[in-house]
Amino acid sequence: NHVSFLDPPFAGICCPRQVRFMARSTLAHSRVMGWWMRKVGVILIDRDAPARATFGESIKILEAGEVMAVFPEGTRSRDGRVQEFKKGLLKLLDKTGAIAVPTGIIGAFEAWPRHRKLPRPRRCRVRFGPPMSAAEVCAPGGYERLRQAVAALSGQELAPIIDSKATASSGVD
């Protein structure tokens, strides 16, 4: 679930292994933030022109056995519900055979929702679910099962799917 700017640091701190993240390139426009993101190995994505190079870099990271956190919703939720997942994660799993670990972050929306400028003190928790193989996630209905697992772990509702054809097969295109 991706509901707050707090999600990446919480997920990274709570994971027992070093985590690489993806983030939109505009977040690195600040000198300090950009420097820090490059230092910790954040993969920057240009949303207006997603590049094959970014996808290729992600594949190399996963094939090297590193951990990469992906927020399949693509952006922070406006209302705290788990939104529809974009297809990028499916393609990465299909190409690499990586394991998906559903993760739920509880309390981050209340601490720093999208519409607030600054966070407020709130208790937050990160919960990791049972790993799912790439074959499980890429099988028909598997991507929606992953989304449901994230919702259950985070205690959030599922937002309705806008394009029912996009997840009807839930297989990789």
Side-chain angles (χ1 to χ4, degrees):
N1 58 316
H2 194 22
V3 295
S4 171
F5 280 135
L6 297 171
D7 299 335
F10 286 162
I13 289 167
C14 292
C15 183
R17 293 177 58 195
Q18 183 176 349
V19 180
R20 300 280 302 270
F21 289 91
M22 291 183 164
R24 72 175 193 263
S25 58
T26 56
L27 291 174
H29 286 174
S30 150
R31 262 194 196 146
V32 173
M33 189 68 157
W35 172 84
W36 179 81
M37 291 173 91
R38 283 185 285 285
K39 278 296 209 193
V40 299
V42 172
I43 300 168
L44 298 173
I45 300 170
D46 181 351
R47 284 190 181 163
D48 295 328
R52 287 182 188 233
T54 303
F55 189 70
E57 188 176 348
S58 301
I59 288 171
K60 285 179 189 173
I61 289 167
L62 292 171
E63 287 178 340
E66 293 184 53
V67 175
M68 184 167 43
V70 176
F71 295 101
E73 296 162 290
T75 191
R76 289 169 292 141
S77 173
R78 293 187 184 282
D79 61 8
R81 295 185 294 178
V82 177
Q83 304 300 309
E84 182 176 356
F85 285 3
K86 307 281 190 247
K87 297 293 183 192
L89 176 60
L90 266 180
K91 291 177 182 179
L92 278 174
L93 291 173
D94 185 54
K95 182 78 174 165
T96 64
I99 300 293
V101 179
T103 304
I105 302 170
I106 302 166
F109 184 74
E110 293 75 18
W112 199 1
R114 189 175 179 147
H115 63 275
R116 289 191 52 92
K117 292 213 183 271
L118 297 171
R120 340 171 238 213
R122 293 288 187 272
R123 180 174 296 251
C124 297
R125 292 186 314 162
V126 177
R127 294 172 55 194
F128 298 99
M132 295 176 70
S133 71
E136 284 179 271
V137 178
C138 294
Y143 211 35
E144 185 58 22
R145 282 191 298 279
L146 176 64
R147 185 172 168 259
Q148 290 169 354
V150 168
L153 289 164
S154 65
Q156 296 173 317
E157 294 179 29
L158 290 169
I161 300 293
I162 296 168
D163 180 7
S164 60
K165 289 191 292 185
T167 57
S169 69
S170 292
V172 177
D173 299 336

